[in-house]
Amino acid sequence: MGVKIPTARLSNGVEMPQIGFGVAALGNGKEFYAAMDSALENGFRMFDTAPFYENEAEVGDVLRHCSVPREELFIATKLPNACHAYEDTLRAFDSALKNMGLDYLDLFMIHFPVPSVGKYPEAWKAMEKLYRDGKVRAIGVSNFQEKHLQKIFETGEIVPHVNELECNPYLTVRPLCNFCQENKIRVINWFPLGGPREPLVPYPTDDFKVLLDEPLLIQIGEKYGKSSAQIALKWAIQNQITPIPKSANPKRIRQNTELFDFEMTKEELEAIDALDHGRRLGPDPDTFDDMEMG
Ligand code: A2P
């Protein structure tokens, strides 16, 4: 049955697993189905998708037919960038539910703020309606900077329950994480392992280092009998952040659940924090406005 993954309580009392399974890079073919089976078998209960990942329907399909009761699953998807108008947000939510064959979602997030369009406060109003209507158990944002959250605080009524952002020991975004935590917004981190070993686009500089080859993570891992990946994931968890690692490999999927039998010291966590050099590999939320995405 795999590991029993503990949960964290969101500000509205909803329990969310302390680690989720990221499906962004898994496609929707054989590899995806095998990875989903392995994730479920090893104890993953939280699944994070989006229309842009082209596997929203397949995620719904697997989870509808798996042996885990619906109430033990935590299913999240996101609002596409082109749907920030109020009515479009409501429609996008309905079509996500239909696409996944579900009666409700556990979490719905605005995928990107798209500041150049500036309609995310309008989208948030619609998210609030979906939440109040009981169609979704928690609502959140993704890739929001502090100023975008401030805007939501001014114009909205509900503080987002989560903010899902790119974050790992090389990009700790500590001020933003602190701001979220001060406001009881749970941070979920994507690219928790530093993203794919083979870059999606060429990496910009010669001094590029693969996070999982980082000597400090390997060294701390040796002390606990864990891999550098497990150290990166546990660093997030001990910082009250929920990682959503991607893996298509059954052994690594299993490894990514074996995190709850050790605790790092405060000094070790601080040493990992010091690895931060602000290296972002994904899109910059301040300028990203691709309407095909999301
Ligand atoms: P693979 O699918 O071959 O396991 P991120 O979640 O930051 O995007 O990073 C995921 C990358 O790290 C993937 O390329 C994945 O490759 C790899 N990965 C996932 N889990 C582990 C692990 N436990 N050890 C090493 N590499 C891992």
Side-chain angles (χ1 to χ4, degrees):
M1 262 323 278
V3 169
K4 185 156 176 40
I5 293 173
T7 57
R9 185 164 295 177
L10 302 181
S11 62
N12 64 347
V14 164
E15 298 286 339
M16 184 175 85
Q18 288 187 20
I19 183 163
F21 193 63
V23 302
L26 283 173
N28 54 23
K30 255 172 101 175
E31 184 179 75
F32 162 83
Y33 283 101
M36 287 292 287
D37 285 350
S38 175
L40 283 162
E41 228 168 75
N42 283 298
F44 277 103
R45 294 295 177 261
M46 172 178 174
F47 295 85
D48 179 85
T49 185
F52 180 71
Y53 307 162
E54 295 186 343
N55 54 22
E56 199 182 51
E58 290 80 0
V59 167
D61 190 42
V62 172
L63 297 180
R64 250 185 6 260
H65 294 107
C66 75
S67 60
V68 180
R70 172 67 185 92
E71 63 275 13
E72 289 178 25
L73 295 167
F74 192 96
I75 309 176
T77 189
K78 310 188 187 79
L79 177 71
N81 289 348
C83 300
H84 285 193
Y86 187 86
E87 293 298 332
D88 289 347
T89 300
L90 299 181
R91 264 197 295 273
F93 177 86
D94 285 343
S95 80
L97 267 195
K98 195 159 163 235
N99 200 20
M100 300 180 89
L102 300 173
D103 301 327
Y104 69 92
L105 278 177
D106 295 282
L107 174 63
F108 195 47
M109 288 165 274
I110 301 179
H111 204 158
F112 283 91
V114 200
S116 64
V117 172
K119 280 203 169 146
Y120 62 89
E122 188 176 325
W124 188 250
K125 289 276 178 203
M127 303 285 283
E128 292 180 335
K129 173 164 171 58
L130 294 166
Y131 178 68
R132 290 205 178 96
D133 288 350
K135 294 180 169 182
V136 54
R137 297 174 68 230
I139 49 173
V141 294
S142 182
N143 303 299
F144 272 42
Q145 308 277 43
E146 182 174 329
K147 61 190 163 211
H148 309 129
L149 289 165
Q150 291 282 17
K151 184 88 183 162
I152 295 286
F153 295 170
E154 282 161 29
T155 57
E157 285 165 22
I158 298 173
V159 173
H161 302 121
V162 309
N163 187 11
E164 180 174 313
L165 35 99
E166 183 180 355
C167 166
N168 58 57
Y170 282 167
L171 177 74
T172 63
V173 282
R174 179 61 64 192
L176 178 56
C177 289
N178 286 346
F179 178 80
C180 288
Q181 292 177 346
E182 280 156 20
N183 286 285
K184 301 193 168 41
I185 299 169
R186 180 83 184 183
V187 175
I188 300 174
N189 64 325
W190 59 268
F191 276 0
L193 301 174
R197 189 169 274 273
E198 294 303 321
L200 303 172
V201 289
Y203 288 138
T205 54
D206 313 338
D207 64 347
F208 182 82
K209 280 197 290 183
V210 172
L211 177 69
L212 298 184
D213 294 342
E214 168 56 47
L216 180 69
L217 300 186
I218 295 170
Q219 182 204 318
I220 297 175
E222 278 165 3
K223 172 175 162 190
Y224 295 103
K226 299 288 175 183
S227 68
S228 57
Q230 288 170 307
I231 295 301
L233 297 174
K234 188 67 183 216
W235 167 83
I237 291 169
Q238 286 192 242
N239 279 294
Q240 279 75 53
I241 293 172
T242 302
I244 45 167
K246 170 264 167 183
S247 180
N249 174 295
K251 282 204 187 98
R252 294 195 280 276
I253 291 172
R254 183 185 185 87
Q255 216 190 72
N256 294 348
T257 64
E258 294 174 335
L259 305 170
F260 302 99
D261 53 358
F262 75 108
E263 289 284 316
M264 283 181 277
T265 64
K266 190 168 167 284
E267 290 71 28
E268 286 164 343
L269 293 174
E270 283 169 2
I272 297 172
D273 280 343
L275 295 172
D276 177 42
H277 55 281
R279 186 185 76 185
R280 187 182 291 286
L281 298 177
D284 180 346
D286 280 329
T287 52
F288 187 70
D289 58 3
D290 185 342
M291 287 299 156
E292 301 298 310
M293 175 96 174

